[in-house]
Amino acid sequence: MQIAETLNEGLKRAFMLTIPAKDIEAMVEAEVKKVAPQMRMPGFRPGKVPANLIRKMHGPALQQDALNSAIQDGVSKLVADNKFRPAMQPSVELTDGYEPGKDAEIKVALEILPDVPTPNIEGIKLDRLTVEPDEAAIDEQVNALVAQQKSFEDAPAKHKAATGDLVTMDYLGKVDGEPFDGGKGEDMSVEIGTGRLIPGFEDQLVGVKAGDEKQISVTFPEDYNAAYLAGKPATFDLVIKKVQTAKAATADDAFAKTLGLESLEQLRGLFKGQVEQELNGLTRTYMKRKLLDHLSETHSFDVPPSMVEAEFGQIWQQLEHEAGHEADPAAARAEMEKDRDDYRRIAERRVRLGLLLSEIGQAGGVEISQNEMNMLVNQAAQQYDPKDRERFVEYLRNEPMAQAQLRAPMYEDKVVDYLFSKAEITDRASTKAELEALIETEEGHVHGPGCGHDHIDEKPAKAKKAAAPKKAKAEESAPVEAEPKPAAKAKKAAAPKSVPSEVEGAEAAPAEKPAKKAPAKKKA
């Protein structure tokens, strides 16, 4: 095989590989000998089919396989002999005009990883802002949980329903005087004031009593999920079965015991532990940002353009998605365009930091153990239906790039911890408000290079301009849907965001890094 370099510019390399026809022919011959023992053909004993007949029947396929193998071997040899570390998969192209029996000329283009300068990790100084849990905040979370656990009791016969009461009814909905599909239900309960039903419905329940019959008028929202009802006026004939008033729970030991705990103090301790975990997370986020800023400011080297382009593509795709959920998507995209150059610089910084952290981790002996990798695989597999999990694990086993993407976040965190251990850290008391304000004015977070190397959770404040996707307005469903259960009957009523999992029995969410060719995830 002949190799001629055609480009050597920065991190870009290009070569012309010439694979002699005789080498390809030798590979075809070897393949014929390999498959001959398994070949069967009428008139010949198994394994005794002549080589010329095998060539006649399977020649084109064998020729193509041999050519592909020769190209793959040639590119592998090129990379190994030159000790290249490709940044991305090399581009390989067979020149026009190739015919079997002729030499094959192959154009190979690639970008190589740079020689990262020996990282300077000495003398790093960081502040660790520490925050004590706020007892008032813990009380607020306990009270929010208690408020969700209220029960309901039957109201006196003449009691008129008010906001906060639970009304149980039968209903019949009509549009243009005619019942509509799905518009009938019995024993539906709704707590007045929750806003769960279509606008205006709950307001007209105020003042009803058990035994009342009432007709109310509403208009379905223009964006209602049933197109045949969207924007249409409707009436509902109601028969009020029952009115119940709320009986608030009390934050005491008895309440804690209903959650399977021993005392109110134990419940407060769970919330306190969660608050401490949240505060520690904020502290770590701030320290990590400062660490990455320091590394970025003190290290500069060229990075492969293809990696930057791939990273920029990920950033842009995310922003496009978020802009699509804005009130004015066109305006949001126009705003993005103004900052396109800034986002490209962000992509370059991320790639550089990813390569730098990888170098630091290798020099410091940072590794992901097999047990840790097994844990990551098991977590990721939980996102799939049981029948697909084995196939997903098999996919990971055969895809080094997917494995690298899966372990990248953990590897990055371990490298950051390693750098923390080397840094001079000064503790300084702070408040949650101060810490959140500092983080807000710093740079936000998004996953970094999707290149198989370790990624960086980093992006500048400008990237926050696109709003998060809007939640679907499920609460605007008409009462034609399934009967809702009052909070009192829901033993595991939805708790506030910060309820400890020990109370709610919630499971930790698995890491979400699906592989591109992996089985489709299970539906939520």
Side-chain angles (χ1 to χ4, degrees):
M1 181 178 67
Q2 297 176 357
I3 301 176
E5 187 175 64
T6 58
L7 176 67
N8 187 331
E9 183 180 298
L11 299 175
K12 294 183 178 181
R13 302 287 187 274
F15 300 86
M16 180 67 78
L17 308 186
T18 302
I19 304 175
K22 61 182 180 61
D23 291 351
I24 300 173
E25 177 59 26
M27 296 182 76
V28 172
E29 187 65 29
E31 191 64 23
V32 169
K33 291 180 179 179
K34 180 180 176 182
V35 301
Q38 287 83 42
M39 292 296 293
R40 281 170 171 71
M41 187 179 295
F44 296 95
R45 285 180 296 162
K48 298 298 183 180
V49 180
N52 63 325
L53 288 181
I54 295 176
R55 282 175 172 274
K56 185 175 180 180
M57 293 178 60
H58 304 286
L62 293 173
Q63 178 75 25
Q64 187 61 53
D65 288 346
L67 179 60
N68 290 342
S69 296
I71 292 173
Q72 185 175 356
D73 291 347
V75 173
S76 297
K77 184 175 185 340
L78 169 69
V79 170
D81 289 351
N82 290 276
K83 297 182 179 178
F84 287 147
R85 293 189 301 158
M88 304 286 279
Q89 191 73 20
S91 168
V92 180
E93 179 185 354
L94 181 64
T95 58
D96 292 336
Y98 170 74
E99 295 177 3
K102 292 185 177 180
D103 294 349
E105 292 186 331
I106 317 299
K107 295 178 182 177
V108 180
L110 70 158
E111 288 179 353
I112 60 174
L113 293 176
D115 292 325
V116 179
T118 302
N120 178 16
I121 61 174
E122 300 300 325
I124 299 176
K125 296 182 179 180
L126 298 170
D127 284 341
R128 179 163 48 209
L129 305 185
T130 58
V131 181
E132 289 297 320
D134 184 353
E135 294 296 324
I138 295 172
D139 288 337
E140 183 180 339
Q141 294 188 18
V142 171
N143 291 334
L145 178 61
V146 170
Q148 289 194 344
Q149 302 300 317
K150 63 186 174 184
S151 58
F152 290 89
E153 57 186 9
D154 290 345
K158 299 297 183 181
H159 175 79
K160 295 183 177 181
T163 299
D165 288 352
L166 190 73
V167 177
T168 302
M169 71 193 107
D170 296 343
Y171 63 88
L172 176 64
K174 300 177 182 178
V175 172
D176 296 330
E178 295 294 329
F180 58 84
D181 187 28
K184 183 178 181 180
E186 296 180 351
D187 295 327
M188 185 191 76
S189 297
V190 61
E191 183 180 344
I192 300 176
T194 57
R196 187 172 57 81
L197 303 183
I198 55 179
F201 195 106
E202 293 174 26
D203 295 340
Q204 297 177 71
L205 295 177
V206 173
V208 302
K209 305 185 300 296
D212 283 356
E213 295 185 10
K214 180 175 182 175
Q215 185 181 81
I216 64 172
S217 299
V218 295
T219 300
F220 284 97
E222 293 291 343
D223 60 350
Y224 191 66
N225 53 17
Y228 65 94
L229 296 174
K232 291 187 177 180
T235 61
F236 283 89
D237 297 330
L238 308 179
V239 177
I240 307 303
K241 297 284 204 62
K242 185 165 51 178
V243 176
Q244 296 176 291
T245 55
K247 180 181 179 181
T250 304
D252 55 18
D253 289 346
F255 172 75
K257 288 177 181 177
T258 66
L259 300 174
L261 304 176
E262 294 181 358
S263 65
L264 178 63
E265 206 51 44
Q266 185 181 5
L267 175 61
R268 287 179 54 80
L270 291 174
F271 274 111
K272 183 176 181 179
Q274 189 183 56
V275 169
E276 288 175 339
Q277 186 177 5
E278 179 188 356
L279 294 173
N280 290 340
L282 291 174
T283 296
R284 178 183 172 83
T285 295
Y286 177 73
M287 289 178 65
K288 181 177 176 180
R289 304 265 182 92
K290 288 299 184 183
L291 173 66
L292 295 180
D293 284 344
H294 173 81
L295 293 175
S296 180
E297 291 163 5
T298 54
H299 297 82
S300 179
F301 50 88
D302 290 337
V303 293
S306 60
M307 291 177 69
V308 175
E309 193 60 35
E311 180 57 30
F312 173 76
Q314 287 192 2
I315 295 174
W316 204 253
Q317 184 179 24
Q318 178 180 335
L319 293 171
E320 284 275 10
H321 173 77
E322 293 173 346
H325 292 275
E326 287 277 26
D328 187 348
R333 290 189 176 95
E335 192 66 31
M336 285 163 48
E337 286 294 341
K338 293 179 184 177
D339 297 329
R340 179 181 282 270
D341 290 343
D342 288 337
Y343 288 121
R344 196 171 292 281
R345 282 191 287 271
I346 294 164
E348 182 176 335
R349 167 182 154 122
R350 286 191 192 174
V351 172
R352 184 174 291 109
L353 282 171
L355 294 172
L356 188 60
L357 286 186
S358 180
E359 192 73 18
I360 292 170
Q362 291 178 39
V366 177
E367 294 180 344
I368 300 294
S369 70
Q370 189 57 53
N371 285 341
E372 289 170 328
M373 191 62 193
N374 291 342
M375 179 192 71
L376 292 174
V377 171
N378 289 335
Q379 285 180 340
Q382 296 307 309
Q383 299 170 86
Y384 299 90
D385 290 318
K387 60 184 174 58
D388 287 329
R389 287 174 189 167
E390 186 175 338
R391 192 153 58 93
F392 170 73
V393 173
E394 182 64 25
Y395 166 77
L396 283 179
R397 191 176 293 120
N398 297 322
E399 288 290 337
M401 186 71 74
Q403 294 176 36
Q405 290 177 339
L406 187 62
R407 65 173 170 261
M410 178 181 283
Y411 187 83
E412 177 189 312
D413 280 339
K414 294 185 80 166
V415 175
V416 167
D417 287 337
Y418 169 74
L419 288 170
F420 284 165
S421 72
K422 299 291 184 181
E424 180 183 328
I425 296 177
T426 303
D427 288 315
R428 178 165 68 84
S430 182
T431 64
K432 182 180 179 181
E434 179 192 13
L435 193 50
E436 287 179 330
L438 286 171
I439 291 173
E440 184 68 23
T441 55
E442 291 285 336
E443 298 176 336
H445 274 200
V446 224
H447 290 308
C451 57
H453 294 278
D454 310 303
H455 68 271
I456 310 301
D457 285 345
E458 175 271 332
K459 88 175 177 187
K462 281 190 175 184
K464 296 178 183 175
K465 288 181 180 176
K470 306 295 187 296
K471 290 183 180 178
K473 295 185 177 180
E475 65 273 16
E476 291 186 357
S477 300
V480 297
E481 296 185 354
E483 172 188 343
K485 294 182 180 179
K489 294 181 183 178
K491 267 198 168 179
K492 289 188 179 178
K497 224 175 194 178
S498 53
V499 171
S501 59
E502 290 89 337
V503 173
E504 287 300 305
E507 294 182 2
E512 188 166 350
K513 270 287 175 188
K516 197 164 150 190
K517 299 177 186 175
K521 290 181 192 171
K522 64 184 178 184
K523 294 181 180 179

